[in-house]
Amino acid sequence: ILIYTNVAALTAYEHYKNNSSLFEKSLLRLSTGLRINSASDDPSGLAIADKLRSQASSIKQGITNANSGISLIQIADKAMNEQSGILDTIKSRLIQASSDTTTSEGKEAIRKDINKLLIQLDNISSQTNYNGMPLLQADVDDTNVSNNMVFQVGEHSLDTISTNGNVQANTIGLGIKNLKNLA
C-alpha cells in the first residue's frame, strides 16, 4: 500500500498556525495596551512591570488617603472658623453690656444671647466629625484634647503625615464656661 503525503499543504498549514499565533499576540497587545502580557513575552520585563504596577496602585491609594486627610482638616478648620466668629460676637456683646448706656433689660437680653452663643459653640465642637469620628470634642463636657491622627500617604511605612491633636474647642477647653453664669 502506498500513502501519499501532501507536503505543501502541511507546510502551508504550519505557516498558517504560526501566523495565527503571532496575530493573536498582536491583538492581545493592542487590546491591553501592554507590550508584556505573559512571562513568555519577557520574564524579567514582566517582573519589573508587576512591581511598577503595584507601586503605582500604592501611590494612588496614598493620594486618596492624603485627599481624605485634607478633607478632614478642612472640616475641622471650617468648624473652628465658625467658633471664632461666635467668640468675636460674644466679645462684642460683653463690651456692649459693660457700657452704662445699656439698660438692665438690655443686659439681660445680651446675657441670654451670650448663653445661646455658648451653647452653639459647644454644639459645633461636639458635632464636628468625619465619618463619625469626632474632630474637636467628643461631647459638650469633654475635657480631652482631640486625637492625633496619622495618614499613610505613601508606599512605605514612614510615608505618613501626622496631625497634632491639642484642640479643646468647647467652652470648658476654651475656659469660658463661667460666662454662662453671668448675672
Side-chain angles (χ1 to χ4, degrees):
I1 224 169
L2 203 58
I3 298 176
Y4 293 101
T5 308
N6 188 345
V7 176
L10 291 174
T11 304
Y13 180 71
E14 186 65 30
H15 287 297
Y16 166 76
K17 279 185 8 181
N18 288 339
N19 285 336
S20 289
S21 175
L22 292 172
F23 181 69
E24 285 177 16
K25 278 186 181 181
S26 294
L27 279 180
L28 181 64
R29 287 180 182 154
L30 284 172
S31 66
T32 62
L34 303 172
R35 183 182 71 81
I36 303 170
N37 290 298
S38 68
S40 65
D41 292 337
D42 182 3
S44 63
L46 181 64
I48 293 169
D50 282 345
K51 182 177 180 190
L52 289 173
R53 221 177 275 124
S54 172
Q55 189 176 22
S57 80
S58 297
I59 291 171
K60 184 177 178 183
Q61 185 58 53
I63 291 169
T64 302
N65 289 353
N67 286 332
S68 293
I70 290 169
S71 297
L72 181 142
I73 297 297
Q74 287 175 336
I75 290 170
D77 180 56
K78 295 296 181 188
M80 292 175 73
N81 191 30
E82 285 296 316
Q83 287 183 318
S84 178
I86 289 171
L87 291 172
D88 288 344
T89 304
I90 289 171
K91 181 179 177 183
S92 296
R93 297 285 192 266
L94 288 171
I95 291 171
Q96 180 184 6
S98 67
S99 173
D100 286 338
T101 59
T102 306
T103 64
S104 60
E105 293 85 17
K107 289 180 182 184
E108 178 61 20
I110 290 172
R111 186 189 66 76
K112 288 179 182 178
D113 189 31
I114 288 174
N115 279 336
K116 288 178 185 177
L117 289 169
L118 291 172
I119 290 169
Q120 187 178 358
L121 187 127
D122 279 339
N123 285 339
I124 290 171
S125 69
S126 65
Q127 293 177 7
T128 302
N129 69 74
Y130 186 83
N131 286 335
M133 176 179 45
L135 297 181
L136 301 177
Q137 304 299 140
D139 61 48
V140 174
D141 296 322
D142 189 9
T143 58
N144 297 320
V145 296
S146 56
N147 296 328
N148 291 334
M149 296 180 197
V150 179
F151 304 99
Q152 183 72 37
V153 295
E155 178 179 23
H156 305 290
S157 62
L158 296 177
D159 295 338
T160 60
I161 296 174
S162 301
T163 63
N164 184 2
N166 56 6
V167 177
Q168 287 183 306
N170 58 8
T171 53
I172 294 172
L174 295 172
I176 57 173
K177 186 172 177 82
N178 59 351
L179 287 179
K180 289 183 180 179
N181 303 324
L182 288 179

PDB file of all heavy atoms in Angstrom, residues 20 33 45 47 56 66 77 85 94-95 97 99 103 117 163 172 177 181:
ATOM      1  N   SER A  20      -1.197  32.749  12.767  1.00  0.00           N
ATOM      2  CA  SER A  20      -2.353  32.938  13.654  1.00  0.00           C
ATOM      3  C   SER A  20      -1.893  33.220  15.079  1.00  0.00           C
ATOM      4  O   SER A  20      -2.456  34.080  15.768  1.00  0.00           O
ATOM      5  CB  SER A  20      -3.249  31.702  13.650  1.00  0.00           C
ATOM      6  OG  SER A  20      -3.916  31.594  12.426  1.00  0.00           O
ATOM      7  N   GLY A  33      -2.917  47.161  25.529  1.00  0.00           N
ATOM      8  CA  GLY A  33      -2.015  48.305  25.517  1.00  0.00           C
ATOM      9  C   GLY A  33      -0.678  48.002  26.159  1.00  0.00           C
ATOM     10  O   GLY A  33       0.115  48.908  26.406  1.00  0.00           O
ATOM     11  N   GLY A  45      11.081  41.513  32.236  1.00  0.00           N
ATOM     12  CA  GLY A  45      10.255  42.701  31.999  1.00  0.00           C
ATOM     13  C   GLY A  45       8.922  42.602  32.703  1.00  0.00           C
ATOM     14  O   GLY A  45       8.406  43.581  33.229  1.00  0.00           O
ATOM     15  N   ALA A  47       8.330  40.953  35.506  1.00  0.00           N
ATOM     16  CA  ALA A  47       8.574  41.166  36.931  1.00  0.00           C
ATOM     17  C   ALA A  47       8.699  42.658  37.243  1.00  0.00           C
ATOM     18  O   ALA A  47       8.135  43.145  38.232  1.00  0.00           O
ATOM     19  CB  ALA A  47       9.829  40.422  37.371  1.00  0.00           C
ATOM     20  N   ALA A  56       2.505  51.788  41.612  1.00  0.00           N
ATOM     21  CA  ALA A  56       1.563  52.819  41.148  1.00  0.00           C
ATOM     22  C   ALA A  56       0.247  52.740  41.908  1.00  0.00           C
ATOM     23  O   ALA A  56      -0.318  53.772  42.294  1.00  0.00           O
ATOM     24  CB  ALA A  56       1.320  52.679  39.652  1.00  0.00           C
ATOM     25  N   ALA A  66      -4.269  61.023  51.346  1.00  0.00           N
ATOM     26  CA  ALA A  66      -3.899  62.424  51.563  1.00  0.00           C
ATOM     27  C   ALA A  66      -5.100  63.340  51.315  1.00  0.00           C
ATOM     28  O   ALA A  66      -5.336  64.277  52.086  1.00  0.00           O
ATOM     29  CB  ALA A  66      -2.731  62.812  50.659  1.00  0.00           C
ATOM     30  N   ASP A  77     -11.272  72.912  60.234  1.00  0.00           N
ATOM     31  CA  ASP A  77     -10.945  74.324  60.069  1.00  0.00           C
ATOM     32  C   ASP A  77     -12.209  75.173  59.921  1.00  0.00           C
ATOM     33  O   ASP A  77     -12.317  76.236  60.536  1.00  0.00           O
ATOM     34  CB  ASP A  77     -10.037  74.499  58.851  1.00  0.00           C
ATOM     35  CG  ASP A  77      -9.642  75.938  58.607  1.00  0.00           C
ATOM     36  OD1 ASP A  77      -9.074  76.555  59.536  1.00  0.00           O
ATOM     37  OD2 ASP A  77      -9.894  76.445  57.491  1.00  0.00           O
ATOM     38  N   GLY A  85     -15.941  83.110  64.882  1.00  0.00           N
ATOM     39  CA  GLY A  85     -16.966  84.140  64.682  1.00  0.00           C
ATOM     40  C   GLY A  85     -17.868  84.277  65.892  1.00  0.00           C
ATOM     41  O   GLY A  85     -18.255  85.393  66.287  1.00  0.00           O
ATOM     42  N   LEU A  94     -20.186  91.406  75.183  1.00  0.00           N
ATOM     43  CA  LEU A  94     -19.676  91.723  76.518  1.00  0.00           C
ATOM     44  C   LEU A  94     -19.251  93.187  76.615  1.00  0.00           C
ATOM     45  O   LEU A  94     -19.492  93.845  77.626  1.00  0.00           O
ATOM     46  CB  LEU A  94     -18.506  90.801  76.872  1.00  0.00           C
ATOM     47  CG  LEU A  94     -18.860  89.347  77.168  1.00  0.00           C
ATOM     48  CD1 LEU A  94     -17.604  88.499  77.295  1.00  0.00           C
ATOM     49  CD2 LEU A  94     -19.709  89.247  78.426  1.00  0.00           C
ATOM     50  N   ILE A  95     -18.633  93.686  75.568  1.00  0.00           N
ATOM     51  CA  ILE A  95     -18.239  95.110  75.563  1.00  0.00           C
ATOM     52  C   ILE A  95     -19.481  95.987  75.563  1.00  0.00           C
ATOM     53  O   ILE A  95     -19.549  96.992  76.273  1.00  0.00           O
ATOM     54  CB  ILE A  95     -17.335  95.408  74.343  1.00  0.00           C
ATOM     55  CG1 ILE A  95     -15.982  94.702  74.521  1.00  0.00           C
ATOM     56  CG2 ILE A  95     -17.150  96.907  74.148  1.00  0.00           C
ATOM     57  CD1 ILE A  95     -15.096  94.748  73.291  1.00  0.00           C
ATOM     58  N   ALA A  97     -22.408  95.177  76.809  1.00  0.00           N
ATOM     59  CA  ALA A  97     -23.065  95.074  78.115  1.00  0.00           C
ATOM     60  C   ALA A  97     -22.319  95.868  79.186  1.00  0.00           C
ATOM     61  O   ALA A  97     -22.932  96.296  80.172  1.00  0.00           O
ATOM     62  CB  ALA A  97     -23.162  93.612  78.536  1.00  0.00           C
ATOM     63  N   SER A  99     -21.161  98.776  78.974  1.00  0.00           N
ATOM     64  CA  SER A  99     -21.398 100.209  78.832  1.00  0.00           C
ATOM     65  C   SER A  99     -22.572 100.631  79.708  1.00  0.00           C
ATOM     66  O   SER A  99     -23.574  99.923  79.837  1.00  0.00           O
ATOM     67  CB  SER A  99     -21.703 100.539  77.365  1.00  0.00           C
ATOM     68  OG  SER A  99     -22.081 101.891  77.250  1.00  0.00           O
ATOM     69  N   THR A 103     -29.286  99.357  79.208  1.00  0.00           N
ATOM     70  CA  THR A 103     -30.207  99.208  80.333  1.00  0.00           C
ATOM     71  C   THR A 103     -30.100  97.805  80.924  1.00  0.00           C
ATOM     72  O   THR A 103     -29.501  96.907  80.330  1.00  0.00           O
ATOM     73  CB  THR A 103     -31.658  99.438  79.875  1.00  0.00           C
ATOM     74  OG1 THR A 103     -32.001  98.414  78.942  1.00  0.00           O
ATOM     75  CG2 THR A 103     -31.827 100.814  79.245  1.00  0.00           C
ATOM     76  N   LEU A 117     -25.184  81.637  72.331  1.00  0.00           N
ATOM     77  CA  LEU A 117     -23.952  81.536  71.534  1.00  0.00           C
ATOM     78  C   LEU A 117     -22.998  80.494  72.122  1.00  0.00           C
ATOM     79  O   LEU A 117     -22.348  79.744  71.383  1.00  0.00           O
ATOM     80  CB  LEU A 117     -23.269  82.900  71.440  1.00  0.00           C
ATOM     81  CG  LEU A 117     -23.987  83.936  70.560  1.00  0.00           C
ATOM     82  CD1 LEU A 117     -23.370  85.319  70.754  1.00  0.00           C
ATOM     83  CD2 LEU A 117     -23.934  83.529  69.104  1.00  0.00           C
ATOM     84  N   THR A 163      -1.143  64.690  62.427  1.00  0.00           N
ATOM     85  CA  THR A 163      -1.725  65.918  62.967  1.00  0.00           C
ATOM     86  C   THR A 163      -1.459  65.945  64.462  1.00  0.00           C
ATOM     87  O   THR A 163      -1.376  64.907  65.101  1.00  0.00           O
ATOM     88  CB  THR A 163      -3.243  65.979  62.735  1.00  0.00           C
ATOM     89  OG1 THR A 163      -3.866  64.907  63.433  1.00  0.00           O
ATOM     90  CG2 THR A 163      -3.581  65.925  61.265  1.00  0.00           C
ATOM     91  N   ILE A 172     -15.526  74.497  77.942  1.00  0.00           N
ATOM     92  CA  ILE A 172     -14.622  74.053  79.026  1.00  0.00           C
ATOM     93  C   ILE A 172     -13.174  74.203  78.575  1.00  0.00           C
ATOM     94  O   ILE A 172     -12.340  74.764  79.287  1.00  0.00           O
ATOM     95  CB  ILE A 172     -14.921  72.594  79.420  1.00  0.00           C
ATOM     96  CG1 ILE A 172     -16.300  72.485  80.049  1.00  0.00           C
ATOM     97  CG2 ILE A 172     -13.862  72.071  80.378  1.00  0.00           C
ATOM     98  CD1 ILE A 172     -16.758  71.060  80.292  1.00  0.00           C
ATOM     99  N   LYS A 177     -16.567  78.649  80.167  1.00  0.00           N
ATOM    100  CA  LYS A 177     -17.813  78.046  80.660  1.00  0.00           C
ATOM    101  C   LYS A 177     -18.486  78.931  81.701  1.00  0.00           C
ATOM    102  O   LYS A 177     -19.709  79.005  81.787  1.00  0.00           O
ATOM    103  CB  LYS A 177     -17.549  76.658  81.229  1.00  0.00           C
ATOM    104  CG  LYS A 177     -18.813  75.931  81.624  1.00  0.00           C
ATOM    105  CD  LYS A 177     -18.529  74.496  81.989  1.00  0.00           C
ATOM    106  CE  LYS A 177     -19.756  73.788  82.446  1.00  0.00           C
ATOM    107  NZ  LYS A 177     -20.604  73.297  81.392  1.00  0.00           N
ATOM    108  N   ASN A 181     -22.815  81.707  83.572  1.00  0.00           N
ATOM    109  CA  ASN A 181     -23.342  82.060  84.898  1.00  0.00           C
ATOM    110  C   ASN A 181     -23.307  83.560  85.167  1.00  0.00           C
ATOM    111  O   ASN A 181     -23.439  83.977  86.321  1.00  0.00           O
ATOM    112  CB  ASN A 181     -22.561  81.330  85.982  1.00  0.00           C
ATOM    113  CG  ASN A 181     -22.590  79.835  85.789  1.00  0.00           C
ATOM    114  OD1 ASN A 181     -23.609  79.297  85.353  1.00  0.00           O
ATOM    115  ND2 ASN A 181     -21.491  79.163  86.086  1.00  0.00           N
TER     116      ASN A 181
END
